[in-house]
Amino acid sequence: MSLISRAHTKCMHWLSVVQPYLVEVAYFAFFLSRHMTLPLFQQYVKEEIEKQHKSATPSSINLTDTTKDALIHEEITLSVLSLQIAEGLPAVITVIMLGAISDKTGRRKILLWMPSLGSVLYSFIYIMIQYTGWNLDGLFMASALRGLSGSMTAFLAGGTFYAINSSNKENRSTRLGVQEFLNGIAYAIANIMVGYWVKSNGFLRPFWFTFICSCIAFLISFFLVKEVDITQQNLATNRISNNQGSNNCCIDTFKPLSRFFKCCKNRKLIKVWLSIIAFQSYAIVHLGQINTLVLYFIGPPYQWDSDKFGVFAAVAMVVAAIGAAASPVILKPYLSDINITFIGLFSKAIGTMWIAVVKNETVLYFAILLLVGELLPFPMLRSVVSNSIETTDQGSLFALMHCGESISYFLAPLMFQAIYLHTFKFFSGFVFVISVTLLVIPVVFTIAIKYVEMNGPTEYERMSGENEGITTSQSYQQLQDQEETSQAISVISNTEVDV
């Protein structure tokens, strides 16, 4: 064997070993870019608007410093909110389409490489704007393109699907916890890099870095990640459903989603929907806080620099990421996924209230320890959903679930920044008091999940009724019989030719 052949064999062997974990590599690169662009674009908008006000305010207009700062801060908040809406609205529609198409075609990679491509275009437009000059319309185009690609919600859907279908039921929560850990570490590194990089070199180099990270995520997702293997029964079910289609693309693509709403007599499906609603309501609180924290700390009364906020956010997310990765491993032998979710909700409530009422900067850092479990509800509730449905039903259900998540990404900044905009003048921490109150919603639904778990069936219930299940099984059996008959005829024909 030649040296080239041996090297090729070793490379292919190494690639087959790391293949199941390439999704996590792309996951980290994508979210490193994503979490860098969040503070980057907010600080970039803040700096450019402040420059405009300094050069455009006539000397004849006498405004106090407090009034002028309040007006500038209000314009910054509105601009940031508008850009997030420009991304969030298209993402709501795109995630539904990508999820349904990936479920119908079986090509899940589109949930990974499409948002990565959108992130590449987003960073590239920001780079071009910095070379050509400030242009708010260009920023809106960048946000809209990233929304049309599915944004981070589509990537979360794809990463969740690969994690669930690459692990057994006992290890799903751990694998999802690892993804949440990578997400948190990426957030921490991103905030530290942005904080110091912007202060020393401006915005151009950080956006080039986010562009490179997005390209890495795209190349891995498109070329190296393999599609999830489809079992024979899943393949047969897809073929049967395709043969029974209406020849209308929209109807055949989205009609399968309707069966998830027939949950009146199916306790397992009720549990799934309770988990999804608890997940979405918690996501609104969590994402709203992340988007508001930047404005909260860089505005009055703290007036933190970008590097100082970056250190605070990074340390907080590292602690939370470690908690998300370690807690399932440590607590799973003793507690269920729902009980671990309660721990995360309690941690979030205590830490958030601490940030709202404490004004001493030294004491404020204790909130980092209180928020150690804030990421736990995400992997735990995803695990509850995945363990409640069969693999054949996961594609369409995750399409619905992450459609709701995309709505959360849109609603959270809209709600929390609007509340902050109208309340920061008299109590800047009021928005966090509201968020603690809103945590009652996921707590109530999590209690309902616990009740259904205690009183529900122990085995999976079919969603479409027994008759449909029997029909599908019979169709699958008939398809198997036909394939076996054709194989037998082929063998006989080959034997006759040989004779």
Side-chain angles (χ1 to χ4, degrees), residues 22-24 26-27 30-31 98 102 107-119 149 151-152 154-162 179 214 217-222 225-228:
L22 288 176
V23 173
E24 274 70 28
Y27 195 94
F30 177 85
F31 279 102
L98 291 179
S102 68
R107 299 184 177 182
R108 318 291 178 179
K109 286 169 56 174
I110 193 173
L111 292 168
L112 299 176
W113 65 259
M114 180 68 82
S116 300
L117 180 61
S119 185
S149 70
S151 193
M152 65 183 291
F155 201 96
L156 278 171
T160 301
F161 184 88
Y162 273 87
Q179 286 194 351
S214 300
F218 172 76
L219 294 174
I220 293 176
S221 302
F222 193 85
V225 173
K226 288 184 177 180
E227 294 288 357
V228 176

Side-chain angles (χ1 to χ4, degrees), residues 61 189 451:
I61 299 178
I189 296 174
Y451 174 80

Side-chain angles (χ1 to χ4, degrees), residues 347-392:
S347 172
K348 184 70 168 179
I350 297 298
T352 302
M353 186 59 71
W354 191 271
I355 293 176
V357 300
V358 172
K359 299 303 178 184
N360 185 292
E361 290 190 12
T362 304
V363 182
L364 180 67
Y365 277 84
F366 187 67
I368 294 173
L369 296 178
L370 297 176
L371 291 169
V372 65
E374 66 172 339
L375 296 180
L376 283 176
F378 294 119
M380 294 301 104
L381 291 172
R382 285 193 182 108
S383 178
V384 171
V385 172
S386 65
N387 290 333
S388 301
I389 58 174
E390 291 181 337
T391 304
T392 53

Side-chain angles (χ1 to χ4, degrees), residues 34 83-101 111 115 143-155 157 254 257 280 284 287 396 398-414:
R34 169 72 190 195
L83 290 171
Q84 289 176 327
I85 292 174
E87 179 179 347
L89 275 177
V92 172
I93 306 301
T94 305
V95 170
I96 300 175
M97 297 176 62
L98 291 179
I101 291 171
L111 292 168
S143 298
L145 285 175
R146 189 157 72 170
L148 289 171
S149 70
S151 193
M152 65 183 291
T153 311
F155 201 96
F254 297 107
L257 301 179
Q280 306 302 345
I284 289 177
L287 296 171
S396 298
F398 283 128
L400 279 177
M401 179 177 181
H402 291 288
C403 162
E405 192 172 354
S406 66
I407 296 174
S408 300
Y409 280 107
F410 163 66
L411 285 180
L414 177 65

Side-chain angles (χ1 to χ4, degrees), residues 14 49 64 78 99 102 161 216 359 365 379 392 400 423 456 462 497:
W14 178 82
I49 289 178
T64 63
L78 288 173
S102 68
F161 184 88
I216 292 173
K359 299 303 178 184
Y365 277 84
T392 53
L400 279 177
T423 59
R462 288 193 172 274
V497 170

Side-chain angles (χ1 to χ4, degrees), residues 486-499:
S486 62
Q487 290 175 359
I489 293 173
S490 177
V491 170
I492 293 172
S493 300
N494 292 336
T495 304
E496 290 177 351
V497 170
D498 293 338
V499 173

Side-chain angles (χ1 to χ4, degrees), residues 147-260:
L148 289 171
S149 70
S151 193
M152 65 183 291
T153 311
F155 201 96
L156 278 171
T160 301
F161 184 88
Y162 273 87
I164 288 172
N165 290 278
S166 301
S167 310
N168 53 40
K169 284 192 174 183
E170 291 74 19
N171 296 327
R172 282 177 179 176
S173 58
T174 302
R175 182 75 178 266
L176 292 170
V178 169
Q179 286 194 351
E180 206 65 45
F181 170 78
L182 293 174
N183 194 348
I185 293 297
Y187 181 88
I189 296 174
N191 278 277
I192 291 178
M193 292 178 66
V194 169
Y196 288 99
W197 214 344
V198 169
K199 190 175 182 179
S200 59
N201 298 107
F203 294 94
L204 184 59
R205 291 184 181 179
F207 273 112
W208 270 113
F209 184 79
T210 62
F211 176 78
I212 294 171
C213 289
S214 300
C215 288
I216 292 173
F218 172 76
L219 294 174
I220 293 176
S221 302
F222 193 85
F223 293 105
L224 297 180
V225 173
K226 288 184 177 180
E227 294 288 357
V228 176
D229 293 333
I230 301 177
T231 63
Q232 289 297 320
Q233 186 168 356
N234 294 349
L235 182 61
T237 304
N238 289 337
R239 288 165 61 181
I240 292 168
S241 62
N242 289 337
N243 292 334
Q244 297 174 350
S246 63
N247 296 325
N248 185 302
C249 179
C250 294
I251 294 176
D252 292 342
T253 300
F254 297 107
K255 186 178 179 180
L257 301 179
S258 62
R259 68 181 183 271
F260 296 108

